[in-house]
Amino acid sequence: MTSRPAAPRRTDADRAPATRPLPLLTDPVRVPLTGLGHGLAAQDLATHLATYGPHRAIDDLLTAVDEIGLTGQGGGHFPVAAKWRTVRESATRSGRAPLVVANGAEGEPASAKDQLLLATRPHLVLDGLAETAAAVGADETVLWLHGDAHLLHVAVHRAVAERRAAGLREPRVRVVSAPAHYLAGESGAVVRGLSGGPALPMTRRVPAAVEGVDGRPTLVHNVETLARTALLARTGAEAHRATALVTVVADGSRTVLEVDARAPVRVALLLAGWPVDVEPAAVLLGGYGGSWLPWDRAAHLELSPGALRAAGTSMGAGVLAPLPAGACGVAETARLTAYLAGSSARQCGPCVFGLAALADVLERLRTGDARRSDVERLRRWTGEIDGRGACHHPDGAVRMVRSALVTFARDVDAHRRHRPCGAAHAEALLPVPAGS
């Protein structure tokens, strides 16, 4: 095993304690439903340091990560400290240097938080990547991006060149282009793609932290996780403030904002511009593999992980998508299920046949052409698909469909009785990539 790379040089000023929590973003940012649009400026290194200050020397970053209970922000929300320990132990046992991967291939069409961080705060992500590499003893890092994310590639390559010119002592960053499909950001697909295979989820269950890219212990972190690590390396656990970075999808755009983790869903929507005197019918929480919740249940639900777990849900990909009153939840669910079915890896029966069957029945339900037993079929099939896929992709689709059958129960019954609502054929509210 190679020795741990040297940490960035520090001065006495670097060791000054932080006096306040540091934000990921300073203000909400509104972007189009697809892509990021123009007018977003990436912080250069000088602006980055002026905004966030230099690194603070922390004796044991892993302990600080453990103390604040940091979890991965890519959707799985697995404890970060546990993954770091597994990587370090696996590297010691195997004698192979670990690899740290920054996963910037945000496959969730409704989310823009990771893209925005890379486009406007690339140095914060790269700081976290370097700090994490030092913490686990990695001498190489990778930044995994969708190949068609041109704006992000420009921002990242520019930032990497700035850091090299500044003489920062940190592991080399290799930027790798991934296919631009939904599952390319799944951690198994990242490992498989970097090992020379197709960027599709792996069917084997050996954790990447034990045996990942080319057999090396591999730590795959979402870019928000790395940005939060960079903040923690500056403030220490004592100045940490728990926040949630969310994308609110409403009014034909996506708004990315950072809110206190104790803030309820209602407050996040208001901060994103949702009218104060208008109540949505429901909210899709977590993204396309998340859960529909009726407004009376979602409105006052805190965004903290504990509160969400207690409610049987999670932030998933960090998406809040309010469904306006009068819109058709059945139609939105049918379209999203068809998208998820078309985005499958096609490596197992639940993906190839199960999701397609769900999508077909939901489409009949949307148009009012459902058979008498179709709703019961949906309930039965979701039970048969759940947990049986080669990856977790079918499980997310099942979660979303099951929640829709409960949240939109009256609408589902009306559609089943061949009485679809007037909004069933309206334009879709939630985005899916063109051609899906």
Side-chain angles (χ1 to χ4, degrees):
M1 177 177 172
T2 59
S3 60
R4 179 177 297 186
R9 294 188 185 93
R10 305 183 190 277
T11 67
D12 290 340
D14 297 339
R15 296 181 173 85
T19 57
R20 59 183 175 84
L22 296 169
L24 287 167
L25 298 174
T26 51
D27 297 297
V29 180
R30 193 171 187 179
V31 298
L33 277 183
T34 57
L36 288 183
H38 301 288
L40 294 175
Q43 287 184 337
D44 60 20
L45 186 57
T47 305
H48 165 71
L49 293 174
T51 301
Y52 294 101
H55 290 243
R56 177 189 178 200
I58 290 182
D59 293 334
D60 190 346
L61 184 57
L62 190 153
T63 297
V65 165
D66 204 3
E67 186 175 340
I68 69 167
L70 182 63
T71 61
Q73 303 299 306
H77 297 273
F78 190 82
V80 168
K83 291 180 75 170
W84 286 18
R85 290 190 178 98
T86 300
V87 166
R88 287 164 61 154
E89 291 165 2
S90 299
T92 299
R93 186 169 54 251
S94 67
R96 306 193 68 180
L99 176 70
V100 180
V101 181
N103 186 2
E106 190 169 37
E108 173 62 65
S111 181
K113 66 181 183 67
D114 295 345
Q115 300 168 64
L116 190 68
L117 282 175
L118 285 169
T120 64
R121 303 289 190 272
H123 285 289
L124 199 60
V125 174
L126 293 171
D127 279 352
L129 187 58
E131 292 284 353
T132 300
V136 301
D139 58 3
E140 183 185 2
T141 62
V142 171
L143 214 167
W144 176 261
L145 297 175
H146 280 150
D148 63 351
H150 306 301
L151 175 65
L152 304 190
H153 278 271
V154 169
V156 166
H157 280 286
R158 185 176 295 154
V160 169
E162 276 190 293
R163 297 169 80 88
R164 189 179 301 119
L168 297 185
R169 294 174 57 201
E170 56 191 25
R172 180 177 70 92
V173 180
R174 181 162 56 100
V175 181
V176 177
S177 293
H181 62 71
Y182 182 79
L183 291 177
E186 193 268 346
S187 60
V190 175
V191 170
R192 194 174 178 184
L194 289 174
S195 298
L200 294 172
M202 294 186 292
T203 56
R204 67 191 183 100
R205 299 295 185 181
V206 179
V210 175
E211 186 180 318
V213 176
D214 295 328
R216 298 168 61 181
T218 302
L219 188 60
V220 181
H221 272 327
N222 166 266
V223 295
E224 182 192 340
T225 307
L226 294 169
R228 291 191 179 279
T229 301
L231 296 186
L232 181 63
R234 285 170 162 82
T235 66
E238 66 275 12
H240 169 72
R241 180 172 66 95
T243 64
L245 191 65
V246 300
T247 306
V248 177
V249 185
D251 195 26
S253 65
R254 298 173 295 171
T255 301
V256 181
L257 69 157
E258 185 177 12
V259 297
D260 191 290
R262 295 167 298 180
V265 169
R266 177 179 178 275
V267 168
L269 297 191
L270 293 177
L271 291 173
W274 186 266
V276 67
D277 56 347
V278 176
E279 291 189 354
V283 175
L284 180 60
L285 194 150
Y288 296 174
S291 302
W292 286 106
L293 297 177
W295 179 242
D296 59 0
R297 184 182 168 201
H300 301 290
L301 183 61
E302 286 188 5
L303 295 174
S304 64
L308 294 173
R309 275 196 304 271
T313 186
S314 80
M315 274 306 295
V319 172
L320 295 174
L323 184 75
C328 182
V330 174
E332 293 296 327
T333 301
R335 295 185 186 108
L336 296 185
T337 305
Y339 166 69
L340 293 175
S343 301
S344 81
R346 304 190 66 79
Q347 297 181 134
C348 65
C351 259
V352 176
F353 305 111
L355 294 189
L358 292 180
D360 287 345
V361 172
L362 282 163
E363 177 60 16
R364 289 201 300 269
L365 199 63
R366 180 186 75 84
T367 58
D369 298 319
R371 301 164 189 163
R372 185 183 298 273
S373 58
D374 272 349
V375 174
E376 181 53 40
R377 282 194 181 93
L378 285 174
R379 294 193 178 100
R380 186 175 72 253
W381 290 345
T382 55
E384 293 172 352
I385 295 169
D386 196 15
R388 290 180 168 85
C391 69
H392 295 298
H393 178 62
D395 301 342
V398 162
R399 185 182 305 113
M400 195 252 306
V401 171
R402 278 177 168 166
S403 66
L405 294 177
V406 174
T407 299
F408 308 119
R410 287 186 179 180
D411 295 332
V412 167
D413 187 58
H415 280 245
R416 183 186 66 81
R417 296 174 182 273
H418 310 296
R419 300 172 186 165
C421 59
H425 299 280
E427 186 176 347
L429 296 173
L430 297 174
V432 296
S436 300

Short mmCIF file of all heavy atoms in Angstrom, two decimals, residues 361 364-365 368-379 412-413 415-418:
data_model
loop_
_atom_site.label_atom_id
_atom_site.label_comp_id
_atom_site.label_asym_id
_atom_site.label_seq_id
_atom_site.Cartn_x
_atom_site.Cartn_y
_atom_site.Cartn_z
N VAL A 361 -49.78 -0.64 -17.47
CA VAL A 361 -51.03 -0.54 -16.71
C VAL A 361 -51.30 0.90 -16.31
O VAL A 361 -52.45 1.37 -16.40
CB VAL A 361 -50.98 -1.46 -15.47
CG1 VAL A 361 -52.19 -1.22 -14.58
CG2 VAL A 361 -50.94 -2.91 -15.90
N ARG A 364 -52.70 2.85 -19.20
CA ARG A 364 -54.13 2.57 -19.40
C ARG A 364 -54.97 3.28 -18.35
O ARG A 364 -56.05 3.81 -18.64
CB ARG A 364 -54.40 1.06 -19.33
CG ARG A 364 -53.87 0.26 -20.49
CD ARG A 364 -54.60 -1.08 -20.64
NE ARG A 364 -54.45 -1.92 -19.47
CZ ARG A 364 -53.48 -2.82 -19.32
NH1 ARG A 364 -52.55 -2.95 -20.25
NH2 ARG A 364 -53.43 -3.59 -18.24
N LEU A 365 -54.45 3.32 -17.14
CA LEU A 365 -55.17 4.01 -16.07
C LEU A 365 -55.24 5.51 -16.36
O LEU A 365 -56.28 6.14 -16.16
CB LEU A 365 -54.44 3.76 -14.74
CG LEU A 365 -55.21 3.99 -13.45
CD1 LEU A 365 -56.41 3.05 -13.34
CD2 LEU A 365 -54.28 3.80 -12.25
N GLY A 368 -57.89 6.26 -18.95
CA GLY A 368 -59.25 5.80 -18.65
C GLY A 368 -59.60 4.51 -19.33
O GLY A 368 -60.78 4.14 -19.42
N ASP A 369 -58.59 3.78 -19.82
CA ASP A 369 -58.82 2.51 -20.52
C ASP A 369 -58.45 1.30 -19.67
O ASP A 369 -58.22 0.21 -20.20
CB ASP A 369 -58.00 2.48 -21.81
CG ASP A 369 -58.42 3.58 -22.77
OD1 ASP A 369 -59.64 3.83 -22.88
OD2 ASP A 369 -57.53 4.20 -23.39
N ALA A 370 -58.37 1.49 -18.36
CA ALA A 370 -57.94 0.40 -17.48
C ALA A 370 -58.97 -0.71 -17.43
O ALA A 370 -60.17 -0.49 -17.59
CB ALA A 370 -57.69 0.95 -16.08
N ARG A 371 -58.48 -1.91 -17.17
CA ARG A 371 -59.36 -3.05 -16.94
C ARG A 371 -59.78 -3.06 -15.48
O ARG A 371 -59.15 -2.45 -14.63
CB ARG A 371 -58.62 -4.34 -17.30
CG ARG A 371 -58.16 -4.39 -18.75
CD ARG A 371 -57.12 -5.47 -18.97
NE ARG A 371 -56.53 -5.37 -20.31
CZ ARG A 371 -55.40 -5.97 -20.66
NH1 ARG A 371 -54.73 -6.69 -19.77
NH2 ARG A 371 -54.94 -5.84 -21.89
N ARG A 372 -60.82 -3.79 -15.20
CA ARG A 372 -61.38 -3.82 -13.86
C ARG A 372 -60.34 -4.23 -12.81
O ARG A 372 -60.31 -3.70 -11.71
CB ARG A 372 -62.57 -4.78 -13.81
CG ARG A 372 -63.30 -4.80 -12.47
CD ARG A 372 -64.41 -5.84 -12.50
NE ARG A 372 -65.40 -5.50 -13.52
CZ ARG A 372 -66.45 -4.70 -13.30
NH1 ARG A 372 -66.62 -4.16 -12.12
NH2 ARG A 372 -67.31 -4.46 -14.28
N SER A 373 -59.46 -5.16 -13.15
CA SER A 373 -58.51 -5.71 -12.19
C SER A 373 -57.13 -5.05 -12.23
O SER A 373 -56.20 -5.50 -11.55
CB SER A 373 -58.33 -7.21 -12.44
OG SER A 373 -57.89 -7.45 -13.77
N ASP A 374 -56.99 -3.97 -13.00
CA ASP A 374 -55.65 -3.39 -13.19
C ASP A 374 -55.05 -2.82 -11.91
O ASP A 374 -53.84 -2.93 -11.68
CB ASP A 374 -55.69 -2.30 -14.26
CG ASP A 374 -55.47 -2.87 -15.66
OD1 ASP A 374 -55.08 -4.05 -15.75
OD2 ASP A 374 -55.67 -2.14 -16.65
N VAL A 375 -55.85 -2.19 -11.07
CA VAL A 375 -55.30 -1.61 -9.84
C VAL A 375 -54.80 -2.71 -8.92
O VAL A 375 -53.72 -2.59 -8.31
CB VAL A 375 -56.35 -0.75 -9.13
CG1 VAL A 375 -55.83 -0.26 -7.78
CG2 VAL A 375 -56.74 0.45 -10.00
N GLU A 376 -55.54 -3.80 -8.85
CA GLU A 376 -55.08 -4.92 -8.03
C GLU A 376 -53.80 -5.51 -8.62
O GLU A 376 -52.91 -5.95 -7.88
CB GLU A 376 -56.16 -6.00 -7.95
CG GLU A 376 -55.78 -7.20 -7.09
CD GLU A 376 -55.33 -6.81 -5.70
OE1 GLU A 376 -55.92 -5.88 -5.11
OE2 GLU A 376 -54.35 -7.42 -5.22
N ARG A 377 -53.69 -5.53 -9.95
CA ARG A 377 -52.45 -5.99 -10.58
C ARG A 377 -51.28 -5.12 -10.16
O ARG A 377 -50.18 -5.62 -9.87
CB ARG A 377 -52.59 -5.96 -12.11
CG ARG A 377 -53.38 -7.10 -12.72
CD ARG A 377 -53.15 -7.15 -14.23
NE ARG A 377 -53.92 -8.22 -14.86
CZ ARG A 377 -55.13 -8.07 -15.38
NH1 ARG A 377 -55.71 -6.88 -15.36
NH2 ARG A 377 -55.76 -9.09 -15.92
N LEU A 378 -51.49 -3.80 -10.16
CA LEU A 378 -50.41 -2.90 -9.76
C LEU A 378 -49.93 -3.21 -8.35
O LEU A 378 -48.73 -3.26 -8.08
CB LEU A 378 -50.89 -1.44 -9.84
CG LEU A 378 -51.02 -0.83 -11.23
CD1 LEU A 378 -51.64 0.56 -11.13
CD2 LEU A 378 -49.65 -0.74 -11.90
N ARG A 379 -50.88 -3.40 -7.44
CA ARG A 379 -50.51 -3.69 -6.06
C ARG A 379 -49.75 -5.02 -5.96
O ARG A 379 -48.75 -5.13 -5.23
CB ARG A 379 -51.76 -3.73 -5.17
CG ARG A 379 -52.46 -2.38 -5.04
CD ARG A 379 -53.49 -2.41 -3.91
NE ARG A 379 -54.11 -1.11 -3.75
CZ ARG A 379 -55.30 -0.78 -4.24
NH1 ARG A 379 -56.01 -1.68 -4.91
NH2 ARG A 379 -55.80 0.42 -4.05
N VAL A 412 -57.23 7.49 -8.66
CA VAL A 412 -56.99 6.17 -9.22
C VAL A 412 -58.31 5.44 -9.42
O VAL A 412 -58.55 4.82 -10.47
CB VAL A 412 -56.07 5.35 -8.27
CG1 VAL A 412 -56.06 3.87 -8.67
CG2 VAL A 412 -54.65 5.92 -8.31
N ASP A 413 -59.21 5.54 -8.44
CA ASP A 413 -60.50 4.86 -8.55
C ASP A 413 -61.34 5.45 -9.69
O ASP A 413 -61.98 4.71 -10.45
CB ASP A 413 -61.27 4.97 -7.23
CG ASP A 413 -62.53 4.13 -7.23
OD1 ASP A 413 -62.42 2.90 -7.43
OD2 ASP A 413 -63.62 4.70 -7.04
N HIS A 415 -60.21 7.00 -12.40
CA HIS A 415 -59.60 6.57 -13.67
C HIS A 415 -59.93 5.11 -13.97
O HIS A 415 -60.18 4.76 -15.12
CB HIS A 415 -58.07 6.77 -13.61
CG HIS A 415 -57.63 8.18 -13.84
ND1 HIS A 415 -56.87 8.56 -14.92
CD2 HIS A 415 -57.83 9.31 -13.12
CE1 HIS A 415 -56.61 9.85 -14.87
NE2 HIS A 415 -57.19 10.33 -13.76
N ARG A 416 -59.93 4.28 -12.93
CA ARG A 416 -60.25 2.87 -13.13
C ARG A 416 -61.68 2.69 -13.62
O ARG A 416 -61.99 1.77 -14.38
CB ARG A 416 -60.05 2.10 -11.82
CG ARG A 416 -60.29 0.60 -11.94
CD ARG A 416 -60.23 -0.09 -10.59
NE ARG A 416 -61.32 0.34 -9.71
CZ ARG A 416 -62.56 -0.14 -9.76
NH1 ARG A 416 -62.89 -1.05 -10.67
NH2 ARG A 416 -63.48 0.28 -8.92
N ARG A 417 -62.56 3.60 -13.21
CA ARG A 417 -63.97 3.54 -13.62
C ARG A 417 -64.20 4.27 -14.95
O ARG A 417 -65.33 4.64 -15.27
CB ARG A 417 -64.86 4.16 -12.54
CG ARG A 417 -64.82 3.39 -11.23
CD ARG A 417 -65.60 4.13 -10.14
NE ARG A 417 -65.54 3.44 -8.87
CZ ARG A 417 -66.38 2.46 -8.49
NH1 ARG A 417 -67.35 2.08 -9.32
NH2 ARG A 417 -66.25 1.88 -7.32
N HIS A 418 -63.11 4.47 -15.69
CA HIS A 418 -63.16 5.12 -17.02
C HIS A 418 -63.65 6.56 -16.92
O HIS A 418 -64.33 7.05 -17.82
CB HIS A 418 -64.05 4.31 -17.98
CG HIS A 418 -63.73 2.85 -18.01
ND1 HIS A 418 -62.52 2.36 -18.44
CD2 HIS A 418 -64.45 1.76 -17.63
CE1 HIS A 418 -62.50 1.05 -18.34
NE2 HIS A 418 -63.66 0.65 -17.85
#
